[in-house]
Amino acid sequence: MLKSGDRKRSGFTLIELLVVISIIALLLAILMPSLAGARRMARTTMCATNLRGITMTMVVYSQEWDDAILGGPRTSNVAMLSNPEVAVATLASGFSDANMPSGIIQPLDWMSGTARVMGVKFDEGTSAASRANRFHQLNGGVSPLTGVKNAGVKIFRCPDNDVMATSYPTGFCNPHPMISYVTALGFQMRTDPSVASSYRYQYVLPTTFLVIPGSYRNKISQVGASAGKVFMADGGRWWNGTGAITTTLTYNTTSPGGQSSDYGPWVSSAYARSYNYIDMSNGDRRGDSMRHSDTRKKGVKYASLRMNLGFFDGHVETMNGQDASNPQLWTPMGTSIPKAEAPASGSLGYSEITVRYWGSSDPLVIR
């Protein structure tokens, strides 16, 4: 007969189970931030890979088309203009929102040109419905023309982009994922003194804002050091003046850039399109585009935000928001930018952007 002290134990006591559970919970608490950080880093790396693929496609396009920069109304979307080389070009005869050239979404559409170089097939129709269908096929979302739910071209979608957008004005496209990447608008534009105040669909700027050299012709060889100039970066939000997250497919938007291109995060929030819409009472949407950090809280410093940038030589960098806001990265060599276009005194970004990059200079001359 076994003595009582010789009996085998059949399980854990309640106290032992509680101790084990507590240890597991403690280990999870220790490991979870590391796992979350690893997942975030993986998404940032995947995004950088997307940008590298798009940027290298732009380089291929440039090699085929006399050094031209893909994604502008005077390069890959030139079919919409009657004469792209005159100072203030006009829309080619017969074109409107209801009838655009085949395979173009809007003047600064980079997706169609990139997809074409990559061999991706899409709706190349000329109607507004076809343009909306084309946008959804490339970017993702349910087409109003076909009713098909499109995943979009995989490398056109940043894995950290979880923002939904609506159409502005209405009638062009259904709610859809916000476009993930935008080109640097300064390299897609030109300057002309005769343009007094209004922006035009061919994107010639008045000389009171961003003064691009008159000899600039939207070519990579003219941007400056290609390894230090941004072709495309995380971005995508378009501001319709009310704070809503929108997309505009109109060919003659009064706001340069639309959802496809943006001046860069150096610009004042008064001119925000993708980057610096800041209304501290209603929303701070900088994290929609500078989205690879561990916080999207409003009011944080630019240095706490992170984003990916693809350069004209094909390489990609992940930068914090303060370093990425350097206007030297976003505009052609020889451009000058008045200090009034940067964040104003007393506003978020003034110390990190305006003071750091303009200092006492006015205007800032781009090297």
Side-chain angles (χ1 to χ4, degrees):
M1 176 183 291
L2 293 173
K3 297 180 181 179
S4 59
D6 295 331
R7 283 181 296 187
K8 295 182 179 180
R9 297 178 61 181
S10 59
F12 293 104
T13 66
L14 177 59
I15 292 176
E16 288 172 330
L17 284 172
L18 290 174
V19 169
V20 171
I21 291 171
S22 297
I23 292 172
I24 293 173
L26 178 61
L27 290 173
L28 286 173
I30 294 171
L31 292 174
M32 283 304 290
S34 298
L35 292 174
R39 286 195 296 267
R40 184 168 60 251
M41 182 60 68
R43 292 193 298 269
T44 300
T45 301
M46 188 180 301
C47 170
T49 300
N50 291 348
L51 269 175
R52 188 173 294 107
I54 298 169
T55 302
M56 292 307 300
T57 302
M58 178 274 302
V59 172
V60 171
Y61 170 87
S62 178
Q63 291 171 345
E64 293 179 352
W65 293 98
D66 191 29
D67 201 33
I69 299 171
L70 185 150
R74 296 172 185 263
T75 57
S76 55
N77 302 324
V78 72
M80 65 180 293
L81 299 181
S82 60
N83 183 350
E85 289 308 316
V86 297
V88 182
T90 57
L91 194 69
S93 177
F95 290 131
S96 66
D97 268 331
N99 179 35
M100 287 286 284
S102 175
I104 296 174
I105 297 174
Q106 60 153 189
L108 288 153
D109 164 31
W110 59 265
M111 288 194 297
S112 299
T114 302
R116 192 173 292 112
V117 174
M118 292 169 55
V120 175
K121 302 299 182 182
F122 54 87
D123 184 344
E124 300 214 23
T126 62
S127 68
S130 282
R131 286 166 58 214
N133 186 38
R134 179 154 61 249
F135 175 82
H136 285 299
Q137 287 175 333
L138 299 177
N139 182 71
V142 179
S143 166
L145 180 64
T146 65
V148 172
K149 183 176 182 181
N150 299 280
V153 178
K154 187 175 181 180
I155 71 168
F156 290 177
R157 181 76 182 274
C158 170
D160 264 336
N161 177 16
D162 55 2
V163 182
M164 294 297 292
T166 57
S167 179
Y168 179 84
T170 58
F172 279 93
C173 51
N174 289 323
H176 52 273
M178 179 183 75
I179 194 170
S180 292
Y181 306 117
V182 300
T183 57
L185 184 60
F187 300 108
Q188 304 289 356
M189 305 183 84
R190 297 185 188 178
T191 307
D192 190 85
S194 66
V195 183
S197 60
S198 62
Y199 301 109
R200 302 169 187 267
Y201 49 76
Q202 77 285 358
Y203 295 101
V204 174
L205 272 175
T207 55
T208 55
F209 182 56
L210 192 69
V211 188
I212 299 168
S215 59
Y216 181 71
R217 289 294 178 268
N218 311 108
K219 294 180 178 291
I220 294 181
S221 58
Q222 295 179 312
V223 303
S226 60
K229 300 291 183 178
V230 172
F231 164 64
M232 175 179 284
D234 284 323
R237 186 186 184 284
W238 185 78
W239 179 48
N240 68 3
T242 67
I245 301 172
T246 57
T247 289
T248 174
L249 303 186
T250 55
Y251 79 89
N252 194 14
T253 173
T254 57
S255 169
Q259 82 285 343
S260 298
S261 194
D262 192 88
Y263 294 113
W266 58 266
V267 74
S268 164
S269 61
Y271 309 111
R273 294 299 176 266
S274 289
Y275 295 106
N276 285 352
Y277 176 73
I278 303 168
D279 180 341
M280 299 309 291
S281 60
N282 296 315
D284 174 358
R285 307 299 312 216
R286 293 173 301 152
D288 291 348
S289 52
M290 294 182 272
R291 50 182 169 257
H292 293 297
S293 62
D294 58 1
T295 180
R296 292 189 184 182
K297 295 178 181 178
K298 66 181 183 180
V300 300
K301 290 184 176 298
Y302 280 78
S304 299
L305 301 167
R306 296 171 75 242
M307 61 184 291
N308 283 326
L309 303 94
F311 293 79
F312 278 104
D313 69 341
H315 87 280
V316 175
E317 294 184 31
T318 303
M319 293 186 177
N320 68 55
Q322 184 178 20
D323 292 340
S325 296
N326 186 346
Q328 299 286 348
L329 304 175
W330 295 87
T331 43
M333 179 176 60
T335 299
S336 61
I337 310 174
K339 196 172 186 177
E341 308 306 331
S345 178
S347 67
L348 189 61
Y350 175 74
S351 296
E352 289 186 272
I353 298 174
T354 310
V355 172
R356 178 175 181 178
Y357 296 115
W358 270 261
S360 58
S361 302
D362 192 11
L364 175 67
V365 178
I366 302 302
R367 304 183 300 275

